[in-house]
Amino acid sequence: MLINELSKRTGVSIHTLRYYESYGLIAGRTDEAVKSNNYKQYDESLIGKVEWIIQAKKAGFTLSEIRKSMDDWYNKRLSVSKKIEIVEKKIEEIDSKIRELKQVRKFLTEAIKEVENDMC
Amino acid sequence: MLINELSKRTGVSIHTLRYYESYGLIAGRTDEAVKSNNYKQYDESLIGKVEWIIQAKKAGFTLSEIRKSMDDWYNKRLSVSKKIEIVEKKIEEIDSKIRELKQVRKFLTEAIKEVENDMC
DNA sequence: AACAAGTATAGAGTATAGTCTATACCAGGA
DNA sequence: TCCTGGTATAGACTATACTCTATACTTGTT
């Protein structure tokens, strides 16, 4: 597919996709058979990759961290156990972020209590 | 206290504290009685404010959002119920961030399952 | 053939949140 | 009195993650 379709199917703008490509997060390939242009082809697997990027960003990972894990995941030949290890580490990081948020939540509920006490 | 002490007691660098002050998040006051210098005094209440900033940042709020809520909280005369309302809204936002992280977590545990299936 | 719309590339511009530097003044101890 | 280190202010610089613009070529439609 061309960049336009990738953009539409992922909801990520063409500009941002090109930025991701220049950043090394995704890569299209120019069809050698076609001589008239240098339009890049993006294959189906990129949909999953872009979705992964979106999810990882939501989890608070930087593009650089995402690039590193995608590199580990897709480009290097990793053993199944190694892959599981990587994902489990990410899950732990997410759990720690969740814990942090819960702490902030607690901080806020305590703020409410204080306000309520002022009332009395 | 002077900026140095505020920095040490909050763990936030002097540079960043000055940045926060220029941004309107905190404010020291120059002692009118002292003529020889214009050193700023930061009072005890700022410790709490800076801690609030740190927590809110952890929760993913931008400085602009933090400024707005601090403004609401400290500068305007708000009714108790209004204050509770503000905090409850923030708690909801945090809950939604937690939900988002849990979704990413699920995405990752599914990735593990996929890898394990490849193994068979 | 004309033209709108799509594509590629390079590079400039933006927003956020710092971080650092230069300059100048001030305070306290040896 | 001199020196070290703290303070204030302004402004430059940085990193991250886009976002936009300019330029030029290509494709499909009329």
Side-chain angles (χ1 to χ4, degrees):
Chain A
M1 76 188 85
L2 294 179
I3 196 152
N4 195 16
E5 191 182 338
L6 183 60
S7 169
K8 271 176 190 137
R9 288 178 61 189
T10 58
V12 175
S13 80
I14 290 178
H15 277 307
T16 301
L17 287 174
R18 291 214 168 103
Y19 174 72
Y20 287 168
E21 182 153 15
S22 76
Y23 197 87
L25 288 172
I26 55 170
R29 42 162 236 296
T30 16
D31 195 335
E32 295 293 326
V34 179
K35 291 280 167 209
S36 64
N37 68 30
N38 55 342
Y39 288 13
K40 277 184 187 152
Q41 289 294 328
Y42 298 88
D43 65 49
E44 284 294 318
S45 75
L46 286 173
I47 301 277
K49 280 197 189 182
V50 173
E51 269 160 12
W52 165 279
I53 295 168
I54 296 166
Q55 297 294 322
K57 270 171 52 58
K58 275 191 191 164
F61 297 105
T62 63
L63 293 191
S64 146
E65 289 168 325
I66 295 168
R67 178 170 56 190
K68 194 178 173 319
S69 36
M70 294 227 304
D71 215 48
D72 287 346
W73 193 261
Y74 293 105
N75 301 341
K76 290 174 192 160
R77 263 171 249 268
L78 291 174
S79 67
V80 171
S81 63
K82 187 75 193 151
K83 280 194 172 190
I84 290 176
E85 198 187 307
I86 289 168
V87 176
E88 272 170 355
K89 213 176 130 214
K90 287 286 162 206
I91 288 176
E92 248 174 63
E93 282 174 58
I94 287 166
D95 284 346
S96 124
K97 281 188 175 111
I98 290 175
R99 273 195 302 276
E100 210 163 71
L101 281 175
K102 283 188 174 159
Q103 212 206 309
V104 178
R105 199 188 188 288
K106 206 179 141 200
F107 186 87
L108 288 178
T109 51
E110 269 158 21
I112 288 189
K113 270 184 215 148
E114 265 177 51
V115 172
E116 277 168 347
N117 283 345
D118 280 356
M119 199 161 56
C120 309
Chain B
M1 76 190 84
L2 296 178
I3 196 153
N4 195 16
E5 193 182 337
L6 184 61
S7 169
K8 271 175 190 137
R9 288 178 61 190
T10 57
V12 175
S13 80
I14 290 178
H15 276 309
T16 301
L17 287 174
R18 291 216 169 102
Y19 174 71
Y20 287 168
E21 182 153 16
S22 75
Y23 197 87
L25 287 172
I26 56 172
R29 43 164 234 296
T30 16
D31 195 336
E32 293 295 327
V34 179
K35 289 281 167 209
S36 64
N37 68 31
N38 56 342
Y39 288 11
K40 277 182 186 153
Q41 289 294 328
Y42 298 89
D43 65 49
E44 284 294 320
S45 75
L46 287 174
I47 302 277
K49 279 197 189 181
V50 173
E51 269 160 13
W52 165 280
I53 295 168
I54 295 166
Q55 298 294 322
K57 271 172 51 59
K58 276 191 190 164
F61 297 106
T62 63
L63 293 190
S64 145
E65 289 168 324
I66 295 168
R67 180 170 55 191
K68 196 178 171 317
S69 37
M70 293 227 305
D71 216 48
D72 286 346
W73 194 262
Y74 293 105
N75 301 340
K76 289 174 192 162
R77 264 171 247 270
L78 291 174
S79 67
V80 172
S81 63
K82 187 72 194 156
K83 280 194 171 188
I84 291 176
E85 198 187 308
I86 289 169
V87 177
E88 272 170 354
K89 214 177 130 214
K90 287 287 163 204
I91 289 176
E92 248 174 63
E93 283 175 57
I94 287 165
D95 284 347
S96 124
K97 284 190 172 106
I98 290 175
R99 273 196 301 277
E100 211 162 71
L101 280 175
K102 283 188 172 159
Q103 211 207 309
V104 177
R105 198 187 189 289
K106 204 177 142 203
F107 187 88
L108 288 178
T109 53
E110 269 158 23
I112 287 190
K113 271 184 215 146
E114 265 177 51
V115 172
E116 276 168 346
N117 284 344
D118 279 356
M119 200 160 58
C120 310

